[in-house]
Amino acid sequence: YYIESLDYFDLETNLFDHTQISMIIGNINLAQNNYIEALKLYQSCLDVSKENDFKPLLPHLYNNLGNLYLDIEDYDDAQNNYLEAQVLFKEMGDAYTAAIVLSNIANIKNILGSSEDAISDYLDVIRVFSINENWADIARSYNLIAQIYFDQERYEKSEEYLKLALNMLSNAKSKHDGPLSIYQAEIFTTAAKLSFNNDRLEEAKKYAQDVLKISSANSYKKTIYENARILSLIYDKTRQIDSALVYT
């Protein structure tokens, strides 16, 4: 539908909307891990936005480029783009989206080994989101903290923050705010990992199967892979070899 809508926005008469929709199509490609196509769209939109002084689009494009470079593990370029985005969002007085960028910067800190600084940043982000009850974003932030503790093998702390994430996600579902499908996939993936780690195999299987449904419908390749692996491990552990091979 977004691609079809481009035809309605002629490049000469409505360049801003054309550029904004192109950026959104780039976001969809990024969510589906189509990095080359997403990068082409973002760079094109960035060039057009600079040339035509489309200030509202610039910080979003820098943030999206940061997300892309983060996904491909180019941390220097990711951080540089995030910092550009954060400055512009603050200049616009957009505290909400500046907090999203801070969350992305926190992610890089965690990857580079500064996990305590990352957790501190995520808690700052949650405080900003709480002002306007952005439940979906709060849920995602709690989940990111849960993931840090999981990687540190501090499973009780991970469970604590996962429960907070699931509670916030429940609130978000009733309000229909936020990009819920990707957040659900990420949070349920953490739940599946924790359940498997604690030998709650049926619970882990349910979460993993739920993620596969959500991810397959939206082509979220990373969470498809993660949860197919979890299901393979579950079936292998319960000696259901044929089922394990299906997900291997």
Side-chain angles (χ1 to χ4, degrees), residues 157-200:
K157 292 291 289 183
S158 185
E159 290 265 19
E160 176 186 332
Y161 281 94
L162 173 65
K163 287 178 181 176
L164 290 170
L166 289 168
N167 286 337
M168 293 299 105
L169 188 63
S170 176
N171 289 337
K173 286 176 70 175
S174 66
K175 286 178 171 286
H176 304 287
D177 63 347
L180 282 180
S181 62
I182 187 66
Y183 290 176
Q184 283 177 319
E186 292 171 350
I187 292 167
F188 289 171
T189 297
T190 303
K193 289 178 181 178
L194 272 168
S195 298
F196 178 78
N197 182 75
N198 291 320
D199 212 32
R200 302 194 301 266

Side-chain angles (χ1 to χ4, degrees), residues 1 15 35 41 90 125 128 147 149 154 171 188 197 230:
Y1 286 119
L15 183 57
Y35 299 119
L41 286 163
K90 285 182 177 179
V125 165
V128 175
Q147 288 176 359
Y149 285 127
R154 297 169 66 182
N171 289 337
F188 289 171
N197 182 75
I230 291 168

Side-chain angles (χ1 to χ4, degrees), residues 86 89-90 93-104 119-139 141-142 145 168 177:
Q86 191 175 40
F89 280 126
K90 285 182 177 179
D94 188 346
Y96 167 80
T97 318
I100 289 177
V101 179
L102 177 58
S103 177
N104 295 332
I119 290 171
S120 178
D121 284 347
Y122 286 135
L123 292 173
D124 286 341
V125 165
I126 288 167
R127 281 189 280 272
V128 175
F129 291 152
S130 298
I131 293 170
N132 294 309
E133 300 182 348
N134 302 112
W135 305 118
D137 296 302
I138 294 170
S141 301
Y142 279 133
I145 296 173
M168 293 299 105
D177 63 347

